[in-house]
């Protein structure tokens, strides 16, 4: 299966050790991590790279690096990952080659600040929804966020997600957005 994905402006490739640079840039920036994690040191980021590069379900579940198709500039990451429920972070041990992780799969994304406000997150999110429903047997995708992250809500809505109320995940009660395969198919048919 080809895990290198494209949009009009983006190239999305499975995250590798060569993407340490963009991980370092994002996870050391307080603006980037404000809504999803604490700042990380270079040593902590280096220690997480083996987890972040793990893949499950024949490579379909994991993290991808988002970069400019023309220049190669790295913008951030996009992911399809097992949603943490009781835990406060993703359980990367669930990413086993050849196996679909149990439980809910969520869509997520993070971009460096200079890539904000240009539609890259929406473009990448839409492509990942398409990939998830065309390349896997998933029947739904979820996404969660902090309530004040209105920019992320906008991305999800543009990608076809609808509010699914609140859900206990990452060890707390959070807003949840959902998109089913049948809803996505209907959206595609409607153009």
């Amino acid at each position: 299966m080809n895990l290198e994905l494209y949009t009009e402006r983006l190239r999305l490739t499975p995250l590798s050790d060569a993407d340490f640079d963009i991980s370092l840039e994002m996870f050391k920036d307080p603006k980037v991590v404000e809504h999803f994690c604490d700042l990380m040191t270079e040593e902590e980021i280096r220690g997480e790279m083996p987890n972040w590069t793990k893949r499950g379900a024949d490579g379909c579940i994991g993290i991808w690096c988002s970069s400019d198709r023309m220049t190669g500039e790295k913008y951030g990451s996009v992911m399809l990952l097992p949603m943490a429920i009781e835990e406060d972070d993703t359980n990367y041990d669930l990413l086993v080659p050849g196996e679909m992780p149990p439980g809910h799969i969520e869509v997520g994304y993070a971009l460096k600040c200079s890539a904000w406000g240009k539609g890259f997150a929406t473009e990448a999110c839409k492509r990942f929804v398409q990939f998830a429903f065309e390349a896997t047997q998933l029947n739904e995708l979820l996404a969660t966020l902090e309530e004040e992250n209105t920019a992320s809500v906008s991305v999800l809505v543009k990608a076809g997600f609808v509010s699914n109320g609140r859900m206990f995940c990452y060890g707390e009660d959070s807003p949840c957005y959902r998109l089913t395969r049948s809803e996505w198919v209907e959206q595609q048919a409607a153009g």
Side-chain angles (χ1 to χ4, degrees), residues 80 107 127-138 141 181:
L80 289 171
V107 171
R127 182 62 181 98
F128 266 71
V129 167
Q130 176 188 358
F131 175 74
F133 291 139
E134 289 180 348
T136 77
Q137 296 302 310
L138 291 170
L141 293 170
R181 177 185 293 273

Side-chain angles (χ1 to χ4, degrees), residues 98-120:
E99 294 182 23
M100 180 62 75
H104 299 294
I105 300 296
E106 69 174 321
V107 171
Y109 36 83
L111 295 172
K112 63 183 183 179
C113 291
S114 63
W116 289 2
K118 298 176 181 173
F120 294 136

